Amino acid sequence: MAQDIRVAVIGTGYIAHTMVAAIGHVPGLTVVGICSASAERARSVADSLGIATAFPGLDAVLADPGVDAVYIANNSADHAAAAIKAMEAGKAVLSEKPFAVDTAEAERVVAAARRTGVLFMEAVATPFLPAVHTALADVASGQLGPVRHLSASFGYPTTPASHPGCYAAVGGGVLLDRAVYLVTLARLALGPVVDVRAQITRGTNGIDTEAALLLTHASGATAQLSASLTALLGNAMTIGCERGAVTVAAPLLSSEKIAVDTVAPPSRPTGESGLRDRIKARPAFRRLADLARMRKTRFAAFGASPYVPELLHFRDLYRSGAIESPVLPVELSLDVMRVLDAAREDRR
C-alpha cells in the first residue's frame, strides 16, 4: 500500500476548515499540520480539528521533511508567493483559486512550476465534479454537433462582514472569486479566447461586485458569463451545440444533475403543424412534456464532498510523478488569468 501523502494546510479560515474535512474523505491523503502566521491561531485551529501539528508560519512548513504537499488556503493576495516558495522547497502545491491576482503574478508562478519541476495545480474544483465532467465529455464527443455557445452564472448575495476575502483590496472582487470558475469552464468547453468584452460594476471601495462577460473563442463559439457578489443568479451552465444542449443544474459549484436536450434539424412547416400546435395549446400536454424532460435528468454524485473528486485527481497526479494536471494544466490557468485581466481592463 502506498504511503499517505502528507499535506499541510496553509490558512485557518473557512476554506481551510472545509478542505481539512474533505481531505479526511480521500484515501491516501492525510492532513499533518495547520499553518498560520499567528502561532496561537495555528494551535487553536489545529486543536479544534484534531490535527497534531501547528506550524507558526510558512517557513516552518517548508522546513519539515514530514510534509509532502501543501494546500494553500490563506489570503488570495498571498497565494502566489506561498506557491513559489513551496515549489522551491520541493513541496507539491494545490493552490486555492485564484492562484494569483493578475497575469504578471501568474506568470511568475508558472515559471516557478516549470523551473522546479514540482507538481502544481490551481484548485478549481468544478471541472472535476462528475456532472460537469460528463457535460464536458458529452459536448467533446461531437454527438450533439459542433459546440456554439456556453452560458453560465455564479452569484449569491454577500457582504464585507460575511465574506471579507471577497472585498479585500488586493485579491478580492467578483472576477477573482467567482468569474474564475466560469471562465475556466468556458475555456475547457470552447477552447482559447480571442476577444473579451465586459461590463463591470464596482462598489464604493472600488472592488468589482458584478461582472457580465462576453467571450469569443478561436473556434468561433461564444460564452456569456455572469458573476455577482450582491445578487442571486441562476447558478447553472448550459452548453449549446448545433443538435442539442447540455445543462448542468444549479448549484453549479456542487451540482449532481445533468440534462441533455436534442433537437431535430429545422424543416419547413407542413400540414401536421396545425395539429401539433393544437396539442401544445393544452396545459396538460405541456406538463407531461416537462415531466418527460425531468426523467431525462441524470444524477452524478460527487461523494462526501464536492472537493473529493479534485483531491482524488491531485492524489493520483502526485503518485504518478506528474508535474501538472492534464485537466487543468498551468497554461490553462494562466490563460484564464489573462481573460480576467482583460475583463478588468475593458473600457468599451
Side-chain angles (χ1 to χ4, degrees), residues 75-167:
N75 295 329
S76 295
D78 300 323
H79 288 178
I84 291 170
K85 288 190 70 172
M87 288 186 285
E88 289 175 341
K91 310 296 187 185
V93 174
L94 183 58
S95 174
E96 179 62 27
K97 61 78 203 163
F99 78 107
V101 299
D102 57 31
T103 299
E105 198 172 67
E107 288 174 341
R108 291 195 288 273
V109 175
V110 171
R114 290 171 174 160
R115 180 178 70 254
T116 62
V118 173
L119 173 61
F120 172 84
M121 189 177 97
E122 184 177 21
V124 181
T126 319
F128 300 97
L129 292 172
V132 174
H133 175 79
T134 300
L136 294 173
D138 281 353
V139 298
S141 72
Q143 62 186 358
L144 297 175
V147 184
R148 304 306 306 150
H149 186 71
L150 180 148
S151 60
S153 64
F154 176 27
Y156 58 88
T158 64
T159 66
S162 67
H163 292 71
C166 292
Y167 295 86

Side-chain angles (χ1 to χ4, degrees), residues 7-10 19 23 29 69-73 79 83 86-87 91-97 99 119-125 128 307 310-315 317 325 328:
V7 181
V9 175
I10 314 300
M19 296 311 299
I23 289 170
L29 292 182
V70 296
Y71 190 100
I72 297 175
H79 288 178
M87 288 186 285
K91 310 296 187 185
V93 174
L94 183 58
S95 174
E96 179 62 27
K97 61 78 203 163
F99 78 107
L119 173 61
F120 172 84
M121 189 177 97
E122 184 177 21
V124 181
F128 300 97
Y307 299 100
E310 169 192 57
L311 291 167
L312 288 168
H313 180 74
F314 183 79
R315 179 201 66 186
L317 291 174
S325 165
L328 288 180

Side-chain angles (χ1 to χ4, degrees), residues 288-313:
L288 287 172
D290 189 54
L291 289 172
R293 184 181 185 280
M294 290 175 63
R295 285 196 295 271
K296 292 192 298 181
T297 299
R298 289 175 284 167
F299 185 80
F302 50 65
S305 161
Y307 299 100
V308 163
E310 169 192 57
L311 291 167
L312 288 168
H313 180 74

Side-chain angles (χ1 to χ4, degrees), residues 11 28-29 31 37 57 66 73 77 94 98 124 142 146 180 194-195 233 236 241 243 249 258 308 315 334:
L29 292 182
V31 177
L94 183 58
V124 181
V180 61
V194 295
D195 185 62
L233 303 182
C241 306
R243 295 194 295 274
I258 177 174
V308 163
R315 179 201 66 186
L334 181 56

Side-chain angles (χ1 to χ4, degrees), residues 3-251:
Q3 178 180 317
D4 279 4
I5 300 162
R6 299 163 296 181
V7 181
V9 175
I10 314 300
T12 55
Y14 170 79
I15 191 61
H17 284 74
T18 300
M19 296 311 299
V20 168
I23 289 170
H25 295 292
V26 180
L29 292 182
T30 299
V31 177
V32 295
I34 299 292
C35 172
S36 173
S38 163
E40 291 182 1
R41 174 68 176 165
R43 183 72 271 161
S44 174
V45 172
D47 288 346
S48 71
L49 295 173
I51 306 299
T53 303
F55 291 105
L58 181 61
D59 289 343
V61 174
L62 304 184
D64 190 333
V67 173
D68 302 310
V70 296
Y71 190 100
I72 297 175
N74 54 1
N75 295 329
S76 295
D78 300 323
H79 288 178
I84 291 170
K85 288 190 70 172
M87 288 186 285
E88 289 175 341
K91 310 296 187 185
V93 174
L94 183 58
S95 174
E96 179 62 27
K97 61 78 203 163
F99 78 107
V101 299
D102 57 31
T103 299
E105 198 172 67
E107 288 174 341
R108 291 195 288 273
V109 175
V110 171
R114 290 171 174 160
R115 180 178 70 254
T116 62
V118 173
L119 173 61
F120 172 84
M121 189 177 97
E122 184 177 21
V124 181
T126 319
F128 300 97
L129 292 172
V132 174
H133 175 79
T134 300
L136 294 173
D138 281 353
V139 298
S141 72
Q143 62 186 358
L144 297 175
V147 184
R148 304 306 306 150
H149 186 71
L150 180 148
S151 60
S153 64
F154 176 27
Y156 58 88
T158 64
T159 66
S162 67
H163 292 71
C166 292
Y167 295 86
V170 180
V174 74
L175 287 169
L176 291 177
D177 187 75
R178 302 202 169 163
V180 61
Y181 291 104
L182 307 178
V183 175
T184 298
L185 292 172
R187 176 66 175 76
L188 286 168
L190 308 181
V193 176
V194 295
D195 185 62
V196 179
R197 301 192 181 196
Q199 181 67 47
I200 307 296
T201 300
R202 292 179 171 82
T204 55
N205 59 355
I207 298 298
D208 45 289
T209 58
E210 309 277 340
L213 309 184
L214 175 61
L215 311 183
T216 302
H217 296 255
S219 64
T222 57
Q224 290 177 296
L225 312 175
S226 299
S228 177
L229 294 178
T230 62
L232 180 63
L233 303 182
N235 294 302
M237 175 179 71
T238 297
I239 306 173
C241 306
E242 288 188 0
R243 295 194 295 274
V246 182
T247 297
V248 178

